[in-house]
Amino acid sequence: MTDESQVARSADDMVAEADTGARNPSIAWQAKLIIGTCIVWSLFQLYIASKLPGVIAQSTGMNIFANIVAQARFVHLAFAIMLATLAFPLTSSAPKDRIPAYDWALVILGVASCLYLVVFRFQIADRPGLWSTSDITMSAIGMCVLMISVYRSLGLPLVIIASSFVLFAFFGGYSEWARNITNYGGASLSKALGHYWMQTEGVFGVALGVSTTMIFLFVLFGALLDRAGGGNWFIKVAIALLGALRGGPAKASVLSSMMTGMISGSSIANTVTTGTFTIPLMKRIGFPAEKAGAVEVASSTNGQLTPPVMGAAAFLMVEYVNIPYIDVVKHAFLPAVISYIALLYIVHLESLKMGLEGLKKEGRKIGVIMIMILFLSGFIFLGICTFLMIGLRAILDPVMGDSIYAAVALVAVMYVFLVAVAARYPDLEMDDPNAPVPAAPRLTPTLLGGLYFALPIFILVWNLMVRTEHLERLSPALSAFWATIFMIVVALTHRPLKAFFRGEGHAAETVAGWGDFVQGLILGARNMIGIGVATGAAGIIVGTISLTGAHQVIGQVIETIAGGNLIILLLLVAVLSLILGMGLPTTANYIVVSSLMAPVIVSVGAQSGLIVPLIAVHMFVFYFGILADDTPPVGLAAYAAAAISRGDPIKTGIQGFGYDIRTALLPFLFIFNTDLLLIDVGFAKAILVFFIALIAMLIFAAATQGYFIAKSRKWESAALLFIAFMLFRPDFFLDQVSAKYTAAEGPAGISLMGEAPNDQLVRLTVAGPDFDTAIVRPTTITVPAINGDAMAALQAQGLTVMEEDGKLLLEEPFPGTPHFGTIGSEYDYYGDDPVVVTMVQVENERMPKELFFIPALLLLLGVVMIQRPRATQPAF
């Protein structure tokens, strides 16, 4: 066996151990059972996502076919537990070539405890809260087997965290301190286990529901696309586009990882998929092993930030933040694009510092300016195509109406045409990265040779984002379902169709296409094992919070340590996310930290006078959960990259985290500058925000790399950091020269509110005794002004204010009113200290904050002029 094949095998083994299961039974029927279970699970998920259950139930009169959709969470977890037990050895010394007897026992117990909820669902529904002995027994068995499944597929950290919350549920009532904060007196065995297992508040809660209805379909879609050759096409296009530039393979690694990350939920699998080819190429042109691995790690981990899929956490945000999926994509788009362009720039600076060149390429080379235009215009092109498609759809609406058949016919014609075009070019085979003289392929034949792979992604994005008169946007689940169905068609037909157009025999290609389809079903299910059990275990944590109010305890500890300082709190949450993320997958990390800390960040921000949108907090947690994948000493993506590069995994992780500093900066920025998340930002301003934020991030990257046009002096790096801050936070400097708000207290505050323009947000600072601690604390809310009538504006928000002794007393808001969740349930309105509106603030008319871009850009020009004489090589 060659050294290269050993390296590839080591990396693949790491992916198997971390993502898909390391057991490979030598006994034929056991291996077939694992494969068959994977196939059945994938087909089951497609079945429940389709309309077939309802159609079959209506035609046969058998309600079991319709009810299976309602019971899908239980079946989903049963598959996940079964495959986790069969595919992952319990310990490192457990047999990998066979399934031992104790695993068969665990399979039977785990599946039975899940299907118990399906078989006896009517009897369980008749005794809510009055759980029988068999209910409690099956719940205890299910919890234990689930924990074992989590341990064998994800390791010990999530088991420890989930177990800690279970212990708190049983024994938290014995702590006087915790009892005073949460008013929780403890739970009996029956109550706790029933809460966790017998209803949808614990294991089978929102997280597992999202895994069942959405995440699986997106993961299956990505697996089918990769097995059909889409992943290879992404890599080849990236190499063709960027490979001949300075440090080209590293830049291609960034671009291909971004494209692969759009449909991949695993940073480790992304690292191995693209890194197997790009890391050896980076080493051949002069990158050290650790830096080559670090580039791939930074690129692959950030792939989960890239819309439209964004791993699994994006779908959970839809449920937790309660906003449409299209809004999650909109908020995530700008930071992801800026982050990737900045990483391309970091790679370019590294290449400059090392004096590296790119790959050889036949024919005309594309200049760097053209590359930048193509890269930026790519997003503009997508927008233009979307508007053109909307226009085309509007023209066809009178003919097509609500019918889907014309749309299917149109897509089918486009697909056959693109396959016919691809048939004119050689198939996209993966080149040998260890070839003596690797060369970058030509762009045109590479792009056209697999352009039909973009159609399923286009269908996915179209269904998620485009709405017309007759057709509403589809849900994420339905969008993924139809994209997956089309991807299945592509996997089955693209090979025989190309053979047909080339006039070759297509029997062998048909068999190969069928093999791609089956392997995609298997890979999709195996990639879901860890996510399935992780969302079940994370449900234990969420269930404990709903049962006990544990987040208040943890939140108060973190808040006390932070001392009410939002910056310190954010740093603590970032560190917590990184630490937990070292042992948890991104999805579980996001669920845990967002459940515990999101309300605390919003609350502390409000106490500090900063209104932090909930989506910004969830994105903050999500970003740092992803960064944990390359954080030493545990970052598994760094170990996977080191297995390919033969570098030191710790040094690879440290270097990768160094490249990701720019990504770590973004969450802090969009907490304080929500323009980056395109919150309440129009199209024209969004363009300005994009370019200014991009320039600022590139400047920040140059400062952290110590190289701009030439090697930077320390004061030049400091100046670049200052410029980046001016561009990111112009409002900070504006606040120093002009007060942002006019403030008033008492009755004068009502008069001030009455002077505010219609619909302008007026800030109210409310102070009162905390419901749990009786400590008087402030918080800030916003109220839209209404035609100069302050009382009408307050009443429209469900707020009643009375003037007494020069104070504005606030009555308790009714449940269901806009601010009940922020000030209604948080304050004690019947204590000795009243709840009062202490201050009213109305924003002033000020100069545009964008004026501070001018001195920042002039200062940047000065740095350029100072460094230019010291430049020893062209900038590109």
Side-chain angles (χ1 to χ4, degrees):
M1 183 180 293
T2 64
D3 292 340
E4 289 76 13
S5 60
Q6 289 177 342
V7 170
R9 182 178 178 182
S10 174
D12 289 338
D13 290 344
M14 182 170 294
V15 174
E17 292 174 6
D19 279 356
T20 60
R23 179 174 283 149
N24 186 17
S26 58
I27 303 173
W29 70 269
Q30 293 185 356
K32 291 179 180 178
L33 176 65
I34 295 176
I35 292 173
T37 304
C38 290
I39 294 173
V40 172
W41 191 12
S42 293
L43 294 176
F44 169 78
Q45 294 292 154
L46 289 171
Y47 170 73
I48 63 172
S50 70
K51 294 183 179 180
L52 283 177
V55 172
I56 296 175
Q58 187 175 7
S59 59
T60 63
M62 299 175 65
N63 288 332
I64 184 174
F65 293 103
N67 288 334
I68 196 64
V69 178
Q71 309 299 318
R73 296 185 189 187
F74 311 128
V75 180
H76 180 84
L77 186 62
F79 274 115
I81 288 177
M82 180 176 179
L83 284 172
T85 306
L86 296 178
F88 290 87
L90 183 58
T91 64
S92 57
S93 59
K96 294 182 175 60
D97 60 344
R98 61 183 176 84
I99 302 173
Y102 59 80
D103 279 348
W104 290 114
L106 289 173
V107 166
I108 293 171
L109 291 173
V111 172
S113 60
C114 292
L115 297 186
Y116 175 84
L117 299 170
V118 177
V119 176
F120 297 99
R121 61 186 180 279
F122 299 115
Q123 294 89 326
I124 293 171
D126 290 338
R127 51 174 186 267
L130 303 175
W131 313 120
S132 67
T133 303
S134 60
D135 293 340
I136 302 306
T137 302
M138 297 307 292
S139 299
I141 292 173
M143 292 279 288
C144 292
V145 177
L146 174 62
M147 290 294 195
I148 295 171
S149 300
V150 171
Y151 167 71
R152 67 203 307 161
S153 58
L154 300 171
L156 199 57
L158 183 55
V159 176
I160 294 175
I161 295 170
S163 299
S164 300
F165 278 83
V166 172
L167 291 174
F168 183 85
F170 286 121
F171 303 110
Y174 292 101
S175 169
E176 183 178 355
W177 173 64
R179 191 167 58 249
N180 289 337
I181 295 175
T182 64
N183 296 319
Y184 174 67
S188 65
L189 181 68
S190 174
K191 180 181 179 181
L193 288 178
H195 184 80
Y196 286 132
W197 195 264
M198 301 303 298
Q199 52 193 20
T200 56
E201 296 291 330
V203 171
F204 300 101
V206 170
L208 190 67
V210 173
S211 175
T212 305
T213 58
M214 296 188 207
I215 298 174
F216 193 105
L217 292 172
F218 280 90
V219 171
L220 179 60
F221 172 76
L224 287 165
L225 180 60
D226 183 59
R227 291 300 306 182
N232 180 39
W233 179 65
F234 288 150
I235 297 172
K236 299 282 282 188
V237 169
I239 292 288
L241 187 63
L242 302 176
L245 299 179
R246 188 188 297 271
K251 294 173 181 174
S253 172
V254 175
L255 184 58
S256 60
S257 294
M258 181 187 76
M259 292 190 293
T260 305
M262 287 193 300
I263 46 89
S264 171
S266 169
S267 57
I268 303 171
N270 196 1
T271 298
V272 172
T273 300
T274 57
T276 301
F277 183 67
T278 58
I279 289 176
L281 285 181
M282 284 188 267
K283 290 177 64 179
R284 286 193 61 79
I285 66 167
F287 269 84
E290 285 77 15
K291 287 191 175 183
V295 169
E296 182 57 52
V297 167
S299 307
S300 297
T301 53
N302 285 189
Q304 294 183 72
L305 305 175
T306 311
V309 177
M310 298 169 59
F315 310 111
L316 292 164
M317 284 186 202
V318 172
E319 301 295 329
Y320 290 160
V321 186
N322 194 27
I323 60 177
Y325 186 77
I326 182 67
D327 287 347
V328 174
V329 171
K330 181 185 75 172
H331 297 320
F333 177 76
L334 195 60
V337 173
I338 291 172
S339 179
Y340 264 106
I341 295 177
L343 184 55
L344 281 170
Y345 185 58
I346 287 174
V347 167
H348 179 71
L349 293 177
E350 287 281 24
S351 303
L352 280 174
K353 288 191 286 185
M354 291 185 283
L356 304 182
E357 299 295 333
L359 299 177
K360 296 180 180 179
K361 184 176 182 179
E362 297 180 1
R364 185 178 60 182
K365 294 183 180 180
I366 302 177
V368 66
I369 300 300
M370 190 62 188
I371 293 293
M372 293 175 64
I373 292 173
L374 287 173
F375 191 86
L376 293 176
S377 64
F379 299 103
I380 301 174
F381 177 73
L382 288 175
I384 293 173
C385 285
T386 300
F387 282 112
L388 288 176
M389 290 297 291
I390 293 173
L392 178 62
R393 186 68 176 86
I395 294 172
L396 295 177
D397 261 350
V399 179
M400 296 170 61
D402 295 329
S403 172
I404 195 175
Y405 299 110
V408 170
L410 182 62
V411 171
V413 171
M414 292 173 61
Y415 169 60
V416 173
F417 171 75
L418 290 176
V419 173
V421 172
R424 301 176 183 177
Y425 301 97
D427 287 334
L428 298 176
E429 301 292 341
M430 181 68 78
D431 294 332
D432 182 6
N434 301 290
V437 184
R442 297 284 304 277
L443 177 60
T444 300
T446 304
L447 181 64
L448 296 180
L451 191 57
Y452 57 88
F453 286 122
L455 266 182
I457 299 175
F458 177 80
I459 290 173
L460 175 64
V461 176
W462 170 271
N463 287 332
L464 282 171
M465 299 185 179
V466 177
R467 179 174 58 190
T468 66
E469 181 181 352
H470 287 89
L471 295 178
E472 294 293 319
R473 293 190 191 105
L474 297 185
S475 67
L478 271 178
S479 300
F481 171 75
W482 288 115
T484 303
I485 292 299
F486 184 71
M487 191 61 241
I488 291 173
V489 173
V490 172
L492 290 172
T493 62
H494 77 107
R495 291 177 183 271
L497 274 177
K498 282 195 287 188
F500 170 77
F501 286 119
R502 290 168 179 166
E504 302 172 352
H506 56 270
E509 297 297 333
T510 302
V511 173
W514 179 260
D516 289 339
F517 165 60
V518 173
Q519 289 300 316
L521 294 178
I522 296 169
L523 183 61
R526 296 194 75 141
N527 287 342
M528 273 299 301
I529 297 172
I531 296 175
V533 297
T535 50
I540 295 174
I541 298 166
V542 177
T544 302
I545 291 173
S546 65
L547 178 66
T548 68
H551 66 289
Q552 297 179 38
V553 177
I554 297 174
Q556 186 170 25
V557 171
I558 298 291
E559 189 176 341
T560 301
I561 295 174
N565 187 297
L566 183 60
I567 292 292
I568 297 176
L569 176 64
L570 291 173
L571 288 171
L572 290 173
V573 172
V575 171
L576 177 65
S577 298
L578 291 174
I579 292 174
L580 290 178
M582 291 181 190
L584 301 182
T586 304
T587 306
N589 185 17
Y590 164 74
I591 294 171
V592 172
V593 182
S594 63
S595 300
L596 294 175
M597 299 312 305
V600 179
I601 295 175
V602 172
S603 174
V604 172
Q607 292 177 41
S608 304
L610 179 67
I611 307 298
V612 184
L614 190 57
I615 183 63
V617 177
H618 281 259
M619 290 288 289
F620 182 94
V621 173
F622 178 46
Y623 264 59
F624 278 100
I626 288 172
L627 289 175
D629 278 345
D630 61 13
T631 304
V634 185
L636 294 179
Y639 279 85
I644 300 171
S645 70
R646 300 188 188 182
D648 182 274
I650 301 297
K651 292 181 180 178
T652 299
I654 293 173
Q655 184 67 63
F657 190 78
Y659 291 153
D660 267 343
I661 288 177
R662 85 218 181 277
T663 306
L665 174 70
L666 279 170
F668 288 96
L669 292 173
F670 56 58
I671 287 287
F672 294 97
N673 182 7
T674 57
D675 287 352
L676 292 172
L677 297 180
L678 300 181
I679 296 176
D680 298 327
V681 172
F683 180 76
K685 187 176 180 181
I687 298 297
L688 176 65
V689 169
F690 170 73
F691 282 104
I692 293 297
L694 177 59
I695 293 171
M697 185 54 72
L698 296 181
I699 293 170
F700 177 81
T704 56
Q705 291 300 307
Y707 195 102
F708 186 34
I709 296 174
K711 185 176 181 180
S712 298
R713 300 186 177 101
K714 290 183 179 179
W715 72 267
E716 291 172 340
S717 294
L720 290 174
L721 289 174
F722 179 71
I723 295 168
F725 181 73
M726 287 186 71
L727 294 174
F728 274 127
R729 289 292 312 279
D731 54 322
F732 174 83
F733 297 93
L734 179 58
D735 292 344
Q736 309 309 309
V737 299
S738 176
K740 186 173 184 178
Y741 299 103
T742 296
E745 301 178 359
I750 297 297
S751 300
L752 178 63
M753 186 174 179
E755 298 171 1
N758 193 40
D759 290 333
Q760 181 176 348
L761 292 179
V762 178
R763 292 160 56 91
L764 305 182
T765 301
V766 178
D770 186 275
F771 186 83
D772 295 311
T773 65
I775 298 174
V776 176
R777 63 173 181 82
T779 192
T780 302
I781 61 174
T782 58
V783 174
I786 297 180
N787 297 324
D789 190 338
M791 289 303 178
L794 292 170
Q795 291 172 3
Q797 298 293 307
L799 302 175
T800 302
V801 175
M802 297 181 299
E803 181 185 345
E804 184 177 309
D805 298 331
K807 296 181 179 180
L808 298 177
L809 305 186
L810 182 66
E811 292 188 0
E812 182 179 13
F814 288 107
T817 55
H819 294 286
F820 177 77
T822 53
I823 59 175
S825 58
E826 298 296 323
Y827 288 119
D828 182 2
Y829 286 83
Y830 306 101
D832 296 333
D833 296 314
V835 180
V836 297
V837 178
T838 60
M839 184 180 296
V840 176
Q841 294 175 310
V842 176
E843 189 168 357
N844 294 321
E845 290 285 341
R846 301 189 297 173
M847 70 177 80
K849 64 182 180 180
E850 288 78 12
L851 289 177
F852 286 89
F853 293 156
I854 298 174
L857 295 175
L858 289 175
L859 185 56
L860 176 62
L861 180 61
V863 175
V864 171
M865 295 176 65
I866 291 171
Q867 285 202 356
R868 191 167 183 82
R870 304 203 312 267
T872 58
Q873 54 187 328
F876 293 99

